[in-house]
Amino acid sequence: MKIIREWHQDEYLISTDPSQIDLNVVHGFLTRSYWSEGIPIELVKKSIEHSLPFGVYKGNQQIGFARVITDYATFAYIGDVFIVEEFRGKGLSKWLIEVVVSCPELQGFRRWLLATRDAHGLYRKVGFTELKAPERWMERHFPGL
C-alpha cells in the first residue's frame, strides 16, 4: 500500500513519499544507533520499502525519520525514529511522533508498539505506556543481524 501524505510546520516538512528518502542519511544514522549499529544499507533499503516511512526535511535536506510497520487494520510498530543532532531541541521529534500516530491511514488499531532505551517521555506524550502484561510477550531477538 503506497500512501503519500505531507505535513508542514514552519520551514519543515514531513512526508511519507518514499522517493524523497535519502537512504544515505537514514543508513548513516541507523548504522551508528544503539538499536541497529552496523546495519547493512541493503537491509535499511528493504525495511523502508516494506513499511510506511516518514521523512523529516528542511528544504531538500533530510533531518529526521521514522517508519511504521503495519497491517493497516489492527497493529502498528514504530521504529527507527531519529532527528539528526543539529536539529534537536526544536520540537521536531514530538511533532514527528504526533504526525505518525495521527496519520489517517493508521487509525483504529488495537495495538501500537515500539521499543526505546531513552525516549520514554517523548512517547508518553502521545499515549504510550509500559507493557501492561509483559509476561504475555515473547520475542526472538538476533541483534547481530
Side-chain angles (χ1 to χ4, degrees):
M1 178 181 271
K2 191 171 188 177
I3 297 166
I4 299 186
R5 289 200 176 264
E6 290 187 349
W7 296 261
H8 298 268
Q9 178 176 282
D10 301 322
E11 59 195 317
Y12 301 101
L13 164 72
I14 295 177
S15 175
T16 61
D17 184 351
S19 70
Q20 290 189 37
I21 300 290
D22 185 333
L23 184 59
N24 291 321
V25 170
V26 175
H27 175 253
F29 188 93
L30 294 180
T31 196
R32 295 183 308 275
S33 70
Y34 71 81
W35 66 88
S36 59
E37 186 175 355
I39 190 169
I41 195 167
E42 300 81 21
L43 202 55
V44 173
K45 182 176 188 263
K46 187 175 181 180
S47 73
I48 293 169
E49 290 170 351
H50 294 280
S51 59
L52 179 59
F54 290 78
V56 184
Y57 306 92
K58 181 178 180 187
N60 292 328
Q61 180 184 7
Q62 180 151 10
I63 61 168
F65 180 77
R67 66 188 183 95
V68 176
I69 304 158
T70 183
D71 62 3
Y72 293 99
T74 64
F75 175 81
Y77 177 88
I78 301 174
D80 297 336
V81 179
F82 71 85
I83 299 293
V84 296
E85 192 167 344
E86 66 190 87
F87 290 94
R88 293 182 188 166
K90 301 177 184 301
L92 295 171
S93 60
K94 182 178 182 238
W95 180 47
L96 174 57
I97 295 305
E98 288 171 349
V99 162
V100 168
V101 300
S102 66
C103 181
E105 289 78 13
L106 303 178
Q107 300 308 299
F109 296 169
R110 296 181 65 159
R111 187 172 317 275
W112 286 76
L113 288 176
L114 59 81
T116 185
R117 181 174 75 184
D118 55 5
H120 296 77
L122 169 66
Y123 298 113
R124 281 188 188 105
K125 291 177 184 175
V126 294
F128 281 88
T129 63
E130 285 72 19
L131 290 174
K132 300 287 187 222
E135 69 279 3
R136 292 184 182 184
W137 293 89
M138 297 179 73
E139 71 177 347
R140 290 182 71 207
H141 187 220
F142 306 98
L145 296 180

